[in-house]
Every structure is written in C-alpha cells, then in structure tokens.
Amino acid sequence: MNNFTFQNPTKLVFGKGSIAQLPKEISKKAKVMLTFGGGSVKNNGVYSQVIAALEGYNLVEFWGIEPNPKVETLRKAVELGKAEKVDFILAVGGGSTLDGTKLIAAAIPYAGDAWELVLNPKLIKTAVPFASVMTLPATGSEMNSGAVISNVATKEKFAFHAHFPQFAVLDPEVTYSLPPYQIACGIADTFVHVMEQYLTSPGQSLLMDRWAEGILKTLTEIAPEIDENPQDYDLMSTYMLCATMALNGFIAMGVPQDWATHMIGHELTALHGLTHGESLAIVLPATMTVLSEQKKDKILQYGERIFGITKGSDGLRVAEIIARTEAFFRSLGLHTRLSELNIGEETIAEIERRFDERGVKFGECQNVNGAVARAILECCL
Ligand code: NZQ
Ligand code: ZN
C-alpha cells in the first residue's frame, strides 16, 4: 500500500425531508446565491422545498447551468456573485450545477478569467464557501473537490480540483423524478468511478479491494431493481450512497488509480456532447480489452468476485468478463459502441492529435498516450 494523506471535510445530511435542515447549516447572516440547472427542480418540488427552508434569508438566484457546464455560462454567474457580494453559494441540482458552482466559488474572489483557474488550479487561493442539495446520484461531486468544465469556444472539457463542499443534502426522494436515461448514466458513472480506482494491479490493499467490490456488486444488484421500482426509497438511498462513496476518496486510500477511460470520455463529450455516463460505458470495455495484459490479474479477480466467472483459461475468462461488463451497461439501456452514434475515424484522429499535442500519459502505468487512446477508441467502434 502506498503512503497517503486523507481528509474529507464534507458533512453529509442524508434522508427524507433533509432539505428542511438547511438553516442548521447556513448562517442566517449570509447572503446566499442559489445556483440551478435548467429547471428540473421547479418541476419536482425541490425548488419550493429549498425556498421554504431558507425563508428569511437574503437570496440571489442564478439559473441555467447546463449539463457539462460551460465556462461561458459560469462567467455570468461569477459577475452576478461579484456584484451582489455573495458570501455563500448553494448548488441545487445535479453534478453539473455543483461542478459549475465550484468554479463560480473560486472565480468570485479571483481577478482574472474563470477559465484560467480550470487550466491552472494553482491560481485558486480562496473560494466563497459552498454546498449542495444533490438531485442526481452519479458524479460524487457532493463530497469531493473535483469539477469538470467545458469550453464551447475551444471544444475542450477539463477537470480541476480545488475546494470541497461544506455539506451535501442528500434526500433520496428527490431522485424519483429522474428520467430513466439519467439513472442509467448515473449508475454507469458510479460503476466506472470505482473501476478507475480498482482495476489496476492486485495486492495493493485488500481492504480497498473489498470496499470497491462492495460498491460494484451493490450496483449490479440494484440496477435491475431500480429499473422496475425507481421510486423505492431504500433502493434509491442505496444508489445515492453508492455514488457518494465511489468518489469521495474512501476507496482510493493508498492504491494506484487509472482514469484513462474518463479522460477519453471527456474528449468524446467535448467533441460530440455525449452524456458523461454513456461515454464511459462505451470506453471502459475497450480500455479493459486493450490493456488486458497489464490488468489481467485484477480483471480475473473482478470477474470472479462480481460476476462469479471462474471457469476456463485466463484468456477466455478475461474475454467473458469484458463481455459481461459491456452487457451490464447495455442492460442499463446505454450504447456501448461509437458506431451506434456515428462516431468514427475523424474523432479518433482528433483525440489522438490532442493527446499527442498535450503529451499526456494517463493510466496507472502512465502509458495511455495518443497511440494507446487510438487503439482503445478503435476497439469501441
Ligand atoms: O438541468 P436540470 O433541469 O436540473 O436537469 C438535469 C439535467 O438535464 C437533470 N436532473 C438532475 N436532477 C434531476 C434531473 N431531472 C429530474 N429529476 C432530478 N432529480 O439531469 C440532467 C443531467 O444533469 P447533470 O448535472 O449534467 O448530470 P450529472 O450529475 O451526471 O453531472 C454530469 C457532469 O459531472 C461531471 C461530468 O463530466 C459532467 O460534466 N463529472 C463530475 C465529477 C466530479 N465533480 O467529481 C466526476 C465525474 O466523473 C464527472 O466527470
Ligand atoms: Zn465520471
């Protein structure tokens, strides 16, 4: 196990009716900016619950943070936050609303342009404190310091890390209004977050392996049940906690991490607007295939413990395990092939070009460069 430092300061406020607890978490003296997406919270009653809970507070609202939040939109929120001198920000929505809010929070006290902070997070010295009412279990953004921001002008999408949310309100009942496609993408995203921290080399940490496998196994068990009963409180509670636990650092202690699938997925989103979870469902099986020699021992462990695959030669088992992984994503209703979305050589060449130009070396062995990304993408066709 590698040395590590672990600290996660985000408080979780979990359960039915927990939005009503907001006044316990935010000072009455604060001038609060509420940030929202495109309006789902107006239709499902979350907006009215938040407004009722924050009665008597000095509130400013910013609407319109889109999926894959764009810096072009966030700049307007930064201007509003500066003009209004807000001293707390509450993101009410999915991962995009919260990711956008992480940049808004860092850019309000910053004199330059917000995109500079995405490209060079070392410039972030301070941030307006922020928190979230999370309405979509997927990103883990509610309990981590990461955010992924898109730039329309340059067709780029980059992650940065800065501040953690102060708290996260997680009421599983708010997920009842999620469209099935968003649930499918959320489950896929959660699954791949675990895989990025787990599917590297064996023997690093028995405990991290078991925690990771616990989340993976739980997701494969609840996914078909959620499909039948998307308004079952216990199922949605389990799903919501899986998403938070998958990317809050708990399964990453002392182990190597991969993230090549995410980096390639971000390019597909930047170039074609793919929904994040679906981009991962397409790329992960191909990453496993292309790097199957390097990851073989862990793939075999994963296949045995998650899918009960124990028979046959190593090569046959690896192929079956990758096929089962792809079948899991398809069972969610997601595409798993680029050709299904009419994406082909032109995109592969552009991603290879970008990775070569940036000199990237992704993955636990730092060997996913432009050429390896090309091989992975060709395997997604
Ligand atoms: O915008 P509104 O109207 O609110 O609707 C949203 C949006 O259209 C809707 N939605 C959210 N909660 C709902 C709901 N609809 C009905 N009922 C609800 N309860 O769902 C749509 C998608 O929302 P979005 O926030 O974009 O989804 P998600 O939470 O999956 O976030 C995706 C973004 O997070 C980034 C992704 O790259 C992508 O940009 N990620 C962030 C990470 C992080 N911060 O650590 C890690 C991830 O790997 C990921 O990259
Ligand atoms: Zn993700």
Side-chain angles (χ1 to χ4, degrees), residues 257-276:
Q257 301 186 34
D258 182 341
W259 296 105
T261 294
H262 265 71
M263 294 306 139
I264 298 170
H266 288 339
E267 295 302 324
L268 291 172
T269 300
L271 293 166
H272 294 283
L274 260 65
T275 300
H276 176 63

Side-chain angles (χ1 to χ4, degrees), residues 154-345:
T154 59
K155 284 200 168 182
E156 288 171 322
K157 185 180 191 210
F158 290 129
F160 75 97
H161 288 83
H163 295 87
F164 285 78
Q166 277 195 354
F167 64 85
V169 171
L170 299 175
D171 179 347
E173 289 191 318
V174 310
T175 66
Y176 292 173
S177 56
L178 279 167
Y181 178 70
Q182 291 300 339
I183 295 178
C185 287
I187 292 174
D189 193 18
T190 304
F191 194 90
V192 180
H193 290 160
V194 178
M195 294 293 266
E196 300 276 23
Q197 299 162 88
Y198 165 79
L199 205 78
T200 56
S201 46
Q204 297 287 339
S205 162
L206 294 175
L207 179 61
M208 292 300 126
D209 280 4
R210 293 291 187 188
W211 276 2
E213 289 156 0
I215 299 173
L216 296 173
K217 188 79 193 156
T218 304
L219 289 169
T220 59
E221 279 175 10
I222 63 174
E225 296 184 42
I226 287 176
D227 195 34
E228 297 277 310
N229 298 303
Q231 303 207 346
D232 180 290
Y233 182 76
D234 289 328
L235 283 175
M236 295 315 262
S237 301
T238 301
Y239 164 35
M240 204 166 206
L241 204 49
C242 280
T244 305
M245 294 304 290
L247 199 50
N248 62 1
F250 273 67
I251 62 165
M253 293 180 210
V255 296
Q257 301 186 34
D258 182 341
W259 296 105
T261 294
H262 265 71
M263 294 306 139
I264 298 170
H266 288 339
E267 295 302 324
L268 291 172
T269 300
L271 293 166
H272 294 283
L274 260 65
T275 300
H276 176 63
E278 189 154 53
S279 77
L280 305 175
I282 293 169
V283 179
L284 179 72
T287 304
M288 291 171 73
T289 304
V290 170
L291 300 177
S292 60
E293 212 30 61
Q294 172 187 319
K295 292 176 179 288
K296 186 175 82 184
D297 292 345
K298 205 60 177 278
I299 291 176
L300 292 172
Q301 178 180 319
Y302 154 76
E304 179 175 347
R305 295 187 184 175
I306 305 304
F307 298 120
I309 296 171
T310 54
K311 297 208 169 59
S313 67
D314 284 1
L316 283 174
R317 276 162 67 195
V318 166
E320 189 185 346
I321 292 161
I322 296 170
R324 281 289 287 275
T325 305
E326 183 172 353
F328 172 63
F329 294 136
R330 290 201 88 82
S331 76
L332 300 173
L334 298 175
H335 296 106
T336 57
R337 296 285 164 170
L338 287 177
S339 48
E340 296 176 277
L341 303 171
N342 294 320
I343 297 173
E345 170 55 29

